Amino acid sequence: MKPELMQAYSQAGRVSALLSSRAQDQVRFQGKEVDDAGKNTTPFYRRAISSLWEYLQTLKIILAVMVFSWLPIPALRRFMERQFLYAPPKPVFKEELKSDAIKKRLKSEWFRSLDGTKLHGWYLKADPEAVAKNGKRPVILFAHGRATNIQDYEDIMKNATKRGYDIFVFDYRGFGNSEGTPDELGLSHDLEAASRFLTRKYKVPSREQVVMGYSLGGGVLSDVASRTPFKAVVITSSFTRLHDALKHQKDQANWLVRYIMSENLVRSQFNSLDKIADCKSPTLILCGDKDNVTPLRMGKTLFRSAPRTLPKAFAAVPGCDHDTVFSKGGEIMMDHLDAFIDRLASEKGKAV
């Protein structure tokens, strides 16, 4: 036999032996015992446990495939978004909000969205003493965040009316007493309808409305403000894009939350960064400097994206996180809002 052929046979033998050795090592790693001939010598009970474990793992995969095959993906997506993105709680209204001092100024209102969905809100008139002292301020239209109802915004309602502002807070479709099911387009329709309701019922045109959007409401407001001019747009503790906020949360979450927040499942966009570039109104961006849900950098990015041709301002609310920006930083927020409204009035006077 030629030397080259003998060398090839020798190399093939060494490779075969190496592969056999690695295969046996892999089998041992999996919990099996083998002899030199590769025969399985694992005791019966251990083989039974190993087989059962492999069966359960396979069954888990099969069940997952069956579930996703039987349940239509669009239906699954809508359900997941409703439960985890919007998360509308049941309406349980606090009686404290209806104290004698406020009850006389609070009016429950019903109106319809652009598609006819019945919506509910509260209109709270300004404190007469504040109006007598500081003069009448514009009307605030408030778009709230996820997983809350109008009942959860007592702080902003009280702080605003103490400064001389009327304020109208409403629940999106599916939230509080409002009918329907929430989705991105529906929420924008609801905010537009609330603005039109103020014009129709209270004779306040959109150009005289100060519209404030908090958290998710900031995403809703960015869309509506790209089409409708207001006196001022106030975006509070909100994100650049919904998926930017989800990605920020995913980095701190477990595998289940990461899956729920994946872009493949959550199709809502709320692309505030692009929408605010087309904003038709003066813009004030507010954010708590301790916010770990929609970090301060997102607020600064929104501010930079807002049009330079219109007045705009950015302010950080010191010592406040995402959930305490109204309760802990309410007075500071109202100071910034007052200053911004005064600035607009001053610039308008100079223009005249």
Side-chain angles (χ1 to χ4, degrees), residues 102 200 210 287 350:
I102 292 180
R200 184 176 65 256
V210 174
C287 186
K350 291 179 181 179

Side-chain angles (χ1 to χ4, degrees), residues 191-218:
L191 179 55
E192 287 188 61
S195 175
R196 295 182 185 184
F197 172 77
L198 286 180
T199 301
R200 184 176 65 256
K201 177 71 179 287
Y202 290 92
K203 311 304 179 185
V204 182
S206 64
R207 290 184 180 274
E208 296 301 320
Q209 299 170 14
V210 174
V211 189
M212 180 179 290
Y214 165 69
S215 192
L216 180 66

